[in-house]
Amino acid sequence: MIIKTDTEREGIRQAGKLLGEVLRDVAAHATVGTSTLELNDRAETLIRAGGAEPVFLNYVADGARTPYPATLCTSVNDEVVHGIPLSRTILKDGDLVSLDCGLSLDGFIADSAVSVIVGKRGDEADAVLLEGTKKALAAGIAAARAGNTTGDIGHAIEEVAKRYELTVVRDLGGHGTGKLLHEAPYIANFGAKGSGERLVDGMVLALEPIFTHGSGAIKLSGDGWTYLMRDHARAAHFEHTIIIGAHGAEIVTK
Ligand code: MF3
Ligand code: CO
């Protein structure tokens, strides 16, 4: 299950390619005056046009009271992850929005997220937050090679947070993926070098650093899905699905 065959890797590559295209399109449409529900509908149309199916829609998570009701997670400003797209959530100049999506193509799954600043009036501190979180994902991917461990990935991610003076949201992390949305192993966005589980050729992982300017503590909102920063600081989130190979990781959701 954890080690994917060549056929499975190829299926996951195809799923990732389509998801990369979907997210690029949706991110380009995250403009002032657009509702998060419009972005969701756009993602769903593109996924189905590509012969795939959304995997977040109706997803039943451990402990959640209700299935997730949408194709895309849209988390605006102090919403961290799993924000639910709504017609009344209209994007404004300077909003920071995370767009997270997963799809299944011929039974193979990819999961990816990007964060963007809407419009032109971006705050300088938010630009740093985006850059640091994105660099942390790249550092995590660089550490994701056979022989290293999940702790090496977490350590590499945490080092970038420190360098940018940002806070890791420690209650959320990455995971195995490919056949199910969430598979083992869990990958914390912090940790000690050499700790955790050993990475092997053929593992498929979704790495997803989530950073903030504030304390890092989160709470679940009344909708049962959206995680909010307790201190209402903004949060950023980037995620790629990768395949661990003998000579490093391959990003499938570019
Ligand atoms: N990338 C997110 C995660 O791995 C997406 C899950 S949304 C859900 O947790 F609705 F499917 F749960
Ligand atoms: Co994920």
Side-chain angles (χ1 to χ4, degrees):
M1 177 76 172
I2 280 194
I3 317 282
K4 270 64 180 183
T5 64
D6 285 347
T7 316
E8 290 168 341
R9 292 181 210 192
E10 189 48 33
I12 292 161
R13 255 181 219 117
Q14 295 306 319
K17 184 169 184 289
L18 177 61
L19 181 56
E21 289 164 10
V22 170
L23 267 184
R24 193 169 327 114
D25 178 287
V26 171
H29 285 85
T31 53
V32 175
T34 305
S35 75
T36 53
L37 187 64
E38 286 173 82
L39 297 179
N40 174 79
D41 294 352
R42 201 165 175 101
E44 182 155 353
T45 301
L46 290 168
I47 288 170
R48 296 200 192 279
E53 285 179 10
V55 285
F56 294 0
L57 185 62
N58 297 320
Y59 185 77
V60 181
D62 281 351
R65 295 184 310 254
T66 53
Y68 187 72
T71 289
L72 184 72
C73 296
T74 55
S75 308
V76 183
N77 298 335
D78 65 336
E79 296 175 349
V80 191
V81 290
H82 303 175
I84 298 173
L86 297 170
S87 60
R88 67 164 189 272
T89 306
I90 310 288
L91 297 175
K92 300 182 305 298
D93 203 22
D95 277 349
L96 193 171
V97 57
S98 146
L99 306 163
D100 186 358
C101 197
L103 63 76
S104 172
L105 180 65
D106 301 328
F108 298 106
I109 291 175
D111 183 10
S112 184
V114 291
S115 293
V116 294
I117 293 171
V118 177
K120 294 188 289 284
R121 217 203 60 218
D123 190 287
E124 177 55 28
D126 287 341
V128 172
L129 176 60
L130 284 199
E131 186 186 307
T133 315
K134 198 174 185 171
K135 287 254 169 75
L137 175 57
I141 293 168
R145 61 186 122 74
N148 274 5
T149 66
T150 54
D152 289 317
I153 296 175
H155 181 79
I157 289 172
E158 189 179 18
E159 284 302 304
V160 178
K162 284 186 187 153
R163 183 143 53 81
Y164 278 81
E165 298 181 338
L166 296 168
T167 310
V168 174
V169 174
R170 293 170 79 93
D171 290 346
L172 300 164
H175 51 92
T177 191
K179 303 271 284 172
L180 301 171
L181 175 59
H182 293 133
E183 299 180 15
Y186 176 76
I187 303 156
N189 290 316
F190 57 91
K193 276 186 185 171
S195 69
E197 287 180 58
R198 181 111 2 232
L199 305 175
V200 292
D201 189 358
M203 273 184 169
V204 177
L205 306 176
L207 303 189
E208 45 185 322
I210 299 152
F211 291 177
T212 178
H213 298 300
S215 74
I218 58 172
K219 64 178 177 192
L220 191 59
S221 91
D223 68 19
W225 274 100
T226 310
Y227 281 101
L228 295 165
M229 296 309 315
R230 275 186 186 275
D231 60 4
H232 299 293
R234 289 179 168 199
H237 173 210
F238 285 88
E239 176 176 23
H240 271 310
T241 295
I242 63 172
I243 302 174
I244 308 291
H247 308 289
E250 169 190 346
I251 302 173
V252 301
T253 45
K254 260 201 172 125

